[in-house]
Amino acid sequence: MGSQRQMNQGGRFPNRLQHTNALAVAKRAKHGAPFNKRARNVERNQRLPFMPPEDWHEPHELGGRYKIIVQNPGTGFRHVLTPADVRNRLAQLPERFTRNLEVVQFSRMTRKKASFPCYGMQWGTTIYLYPIEENLVEDYENPPKPGQFNEARMYGGVWTEEPAGWKLVWSEATIRDFYLNNILIHELGHLVDDRNTQYQARERYAEWFAVEHGYKPSRLPEQKQSVHRRHHAKSRG
């Protein structure tokens, strides 16, 4: 499965970024995958070198439990989830889905990352979760595309049109639902996907995975959600 692990980054705006030359510069990041459709930015120049925005965690590929790394979210930002939230949610999934997961990193928002802000990213055997604005209000210059509008609305996000653009407003409950049952599961879907290599196919699979294993189970009665729950010893991170 290691040869299928790509770099998949989910941003906050529906223009996607393609990074087909990532293989040449991202150590062991196989196939050099593109960013997913939620990225805010316009497509980057394919002839310019791609500089990965994250720390690379070298896969040990020995199996076992994953660790969690928490960075300071940065001024004006906050992490949505806690390590316990992540562990509890992933424990509800079949163990085969997290078998190759080695690191979950709560990343810091920097000036460089703010130029292409994102909710989550999968790279190698690591899932990165990004912080959100402290007031849970995201500002956009352009209106959301239908897919972006509907995705946020599925989890309770509210789009409002303002004189200077658009706002996406979350509550504590809705943003937590969005990260737990969409972002986290979507990025895990990229890690689980060991068949597809093309952007469109990988994105379709991750979106399906998030609906089937994130959205739908989270809407079931509580007693049915815990059917796959696994119990762990004390965590490493």
Side-chain angles (χ1 to χ4, degrees):
M1 180 175 173
S3 63
Q4 301 295 326
R5 294 180 189 137
Q6 304 188 15
M7 184 178 192
N8 297 274
Q9 180 167 347
R12 300 178 182 174
F13 204 70
N15 300 319
R16 69 171 180 264
L17 299 173
Q18 301 286 347
H19 291 296
T20 58
N21 63 341
L23 179 62
V25 293
K27 183 179 182 182
R28 295 187 65 188
K30 306 300 183 179
H31 295 302
F35 286 24
N36 82 21
K37 70 177 184 179
R38 291 192 298 272
R40 278 182 180 174
N41 301 45
V42 297
E43 293 189 9
R44 72 185 296 276
N45 188 329
Q46 296 289 330
R47 289 175 287 186
L48 295 178
F50 169 51
M51 298 302 293
E54 274 299 347
D55 299 326
W56 169 253
H57 298 287
E58 186 71 22
H60 55 67
E61 300 185 341
L62 299 176
R65 294 186 300 111
Y66 57 89
K67 66 179 180 180
I68 295 180
I69 298 172
V70 180
Q71 298 180 346
N72 186 303
T75 304
F77 293 89
R78 52 168 289 190
H79 291 306
V80 172
L81 304 178
T82 67
D85 290 333
V86 170
R87 291 195 182 278
N88 289 337
R89 184 65 185 89
L90 294 182
Q92 296 174 18
L93 300 171
E95 189 172 5
R96 68 182 184 276
F97 290 161
T98 58
R99 186 173 301 149
N100 294 299
L101 177 63
E102 298 183 10
V103 179
V104 176
Q105 177 174 303
F106 289 64
S107 290
R108 175 181 175 84
M109 183 62 71
T110 64
R111 182 176 299 180
K112 179 178 179 180
K113 294 174 188 176
S115 67
F116 45 90
C118 58
Y119 297 116
M121 180 177 76
Q122 171 267 323
W123 189 18
T125 56
T126 301
I127 290 176
Y128 303 83
L129 297 177
Y130 290 92
I132 195 169
E133 288 81 350
E134 283 183 327
N135 63 0
L136 303 183
V137 177
E138 300 180 70
D139 294 301
Y140 295 87
E141 294 181 357
N142 300 312
K145 291 185 177 180
Q148 179 77 357
F149 183 90
N150 291 331
E151 181 185 52
R153 189 171 62 174
M154 283 173 63
Y155 294 88
V158 178
W159 289 96
T160 60
E161 186 173 8
E162 305 287 335
W166 286 73
K167 291 184 181 295
L168 176 54
V169 182
W170 302 93
S171 68
E172 293 285 347
T174 59
I175 193 62
R176 187 171 182 275
D177 183 22
F178 184 58
Y179 269 74
L180 273 179
N181 298 308
N182 186 346
I183 303 305
L184 177 63
I185 309 302
H186 181 110
E187 303 308 332
L188 182 64
H190 282 304
L191 180 59
V192 169
D193 185 6
D194 60 357
R195 295 183 178 181
N196 299 301
T197 59
Q198 298 300 313
Y199 170 79
Q200 291 84 357
R202 285 185 60 79
E203 197 58 35
R204 282 194 299 269
Y205 181 88
E207 289 175 354
W208 170 85
F209 191 89
V211 171
E212 289 297 314
H213 300 288
Y215 181 78
K216 288 182 179 179
S218 69
R219 270 58 188 169
L220 293 175
E222 182 66 27
Q223 62 270 22
K224 292 185 179 181
Q225 291 184 38
S226 60
V227 65
H228 293 299
R229 180 173 291 277
R230 307 188 305 275
H231 297 282
H232 299 296
K234 187 175 181 181
S235 64
R236 290 192 291 170

